[in-house]
């Protein structure tokens, strides 16, 4: 009798676990999209903005940590830090100088600037990660941070594209995202300019650009959905 009760209890426990697993993973299994397309679930524009803003803040935080750690290991002298070059490979991308200028830009133009900066870091960060793997003084944890930054840039670019698609669907943006960032308008990925930069210069430039992306996204969000955390 006790064996039968135990067997029934096990069956009920398995059924309960199955129901809970379906509940927890049912919505998470479908990818997020800007509109209600088949096979994914749509989220609001405010929610999309929250996601990309939070993602950009985490990405900039990692770049800050890695930059500080890099200084500690390789540039102990402050005088040496002062002599480091500041020629970033993204300097050809025209970005608004200051918050007021960014606020005056058209939303299409500001979105274009954000995407240009993200695309420009696609290859450099991957090669930076590979370079870090050859530094014996650098920990594996730090090398993983470099790889994480590379992945985050890719994910953030896709997120910003979803935001742009949503804005276009709602009539808040005139041109589609693909026409805003045409291949001709982007820095050539294999120009090799960033290959001539030192690792510290590259990391400094990414920290600067990731801060720009984070601030531009906040400005764009507050112009489009000011009632959500602005």
């Amino acid at each position: 009798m006790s064996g039968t009760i135990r067997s029934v209890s096990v069956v009920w426990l398995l059924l309960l676990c199955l129901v809970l697993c379906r509940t927890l993973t049912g919505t998470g299994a479908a990818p997020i999209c800007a509109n209600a397309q088949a096979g994914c679930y749509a989220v609001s524009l405010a929610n999309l903005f929250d996601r990309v803003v939070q993602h950009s803040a985490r990405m900039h935080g990692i770049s800050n940590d890695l930059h500080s750690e890099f200084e500690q290991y390789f540039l102990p002298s402050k005088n040496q830090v002062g002599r480091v070059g500041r020629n970033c490979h993204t300097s050809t991308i025209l970005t608004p100088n200051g918050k007021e200028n960014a606020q005056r830009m058209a939303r299409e133009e500001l979105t274009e600037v954000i995407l240009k900066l993200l695309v420009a870091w696609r290859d450099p960060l991957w090669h930076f990660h590979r370079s870090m793997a050859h530094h014996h003084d650098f920990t594996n944890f730090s090398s993983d941070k470099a790889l994480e930054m590379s992945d985050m840039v890719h994910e953030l670019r896709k997120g910003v594209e979803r935001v742009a698609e949503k804005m276009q669907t709602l009539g808040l943006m005139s041109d589609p995202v693909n026409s805003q960032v045409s291949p001709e308008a982007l820095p050539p990925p294999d120009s090799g300019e960033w290959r001539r930069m030192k690792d510290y210069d590259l990391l400094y430039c990414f920290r600067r650009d990731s801060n720009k992306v984070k601030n531009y996204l906040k400005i764009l969000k507050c112009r489009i959905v000011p009632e959500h955390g602005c």
Side-chain angles (χ1 to χ4, degrees):
M1 183 69 178
S2 61
T4 303
I5 296 175
R6 186 179 299 108
S7 299
V8 172
S9 300
V10 170
V11 171
W12 275 108
L13 182 60
L14 290 174
L15 289 173
L16 179 61
C17 288
L18 181 61
V19 171
L20 288 174
C21 288
R22 286 183 176 178
T23 302
L24 292 174
T25 61
T27 56
I32 296 171
C33 57
N35 306 303
Q37 294 136 355
C40 65
Y41 67 97
V43 296
S44 67
L45 181 58
N47 191 291
L48 287 173
F49 263 119
D50 285 340
R51 290 169 184 266
V52 295
V53 168
Q54 292 170 10
H55 193 89
S56 65
R58 288 194 298 269
M59 184 178 72
H60 180 61
I62 292 175
S63 71
N64 253 329
D65 294 342
L66 199 55
H67 182 270
S68 300
E69 192 170 348
F70 203 99
E71 281 187 333
Q72 178 183 353
Y73 277 108
F74 300 108
L75 296 170
S77 170
K78 292 184 179 179
N79 294 330
Q80 188 177 2
V81 172
R83 291 195 297 269
V84 172
R86 292 292 186 258
N87 294 323
C88 299
H89 73 288
T90 54
S91 60
T92 56
I93 300 175
L94 297 180
T95 59
N97 184 19
K99 182 178 180 180
E100 292 183 358
N101 289 327
Q103 290 173 330
R104 283 194 289 264
M105 288 186 71
R107 59 191 61 165
E108 292 88 354
E109 295 176 353
L110 193 55
T111 304
E112 179 182 356
V113 168
I114 294 169
L115 287 171
K116 282 182 176 181
L117 288 172
L118 292 173
V119 171
W121 281 103
R122 178 183 53 197
D123 292 338
L125 284 178
W126 168 248
H127 287 274
F128 176 73
H129 159 67
R130 296 184 64 182
S131 175
M132 288 299 94
H134 294 91
H135 284 294
H136 299 295
D137 293 332
F138 227 48
T139 63
N140 290 332
F141 180 67
S142 299
S143 179
D144 290 342
K145 284 183 183 178
L147 179 59
E148 185 178 1
M149 287 194 306
S150 178
D151 293 337
M152 292 184 81
V153 164
H154 176 68
E155 293 300 323
L156 183 58
R157 178 180 62 81
K158 292 196 298 184
V160 174
E161 287 175 350
R162 292 192 186 102
V163 169
E165 291 171 7
K166 189 74 171 183
M167 287 196 292
Q168 186 193 10
T169 301
L170 297 175
L172 300 174
M173 182 176 288
S174 57
D175 298 324
V177 65
N178 291 335
S179 67
Q180 293 172 21
V181 187
S182 61
E184 294 79 12
L186 294 173
D190 296 324
S191 62
E193 182 179 351
W194 55 267
R195 296 178 186 273
R196 295 188 292 270
M197 297 172 61
K198 295 180 180 178
D199 288 335
Y200 180 81
D201 286 341
L202 199 70
L203 188 54
Y204 169 85
C205 290
F206 179 68
R207 186 183 66 160
R208 186 200 67 173
D209 287 345
S210 65
N211 187 51
K212 287 183 179 182
V213 168
K214 179 191 68 172
N215 291 332
Y216 295 162
L217 283 172
K218 287 181 178 179
I219 290 172
L220 193 61
K221 173 192 172 183
C222 289
R223 289 177 58 186
I224 305 298
V225 284
E227 67 276 11
H228 290 272
C230 294

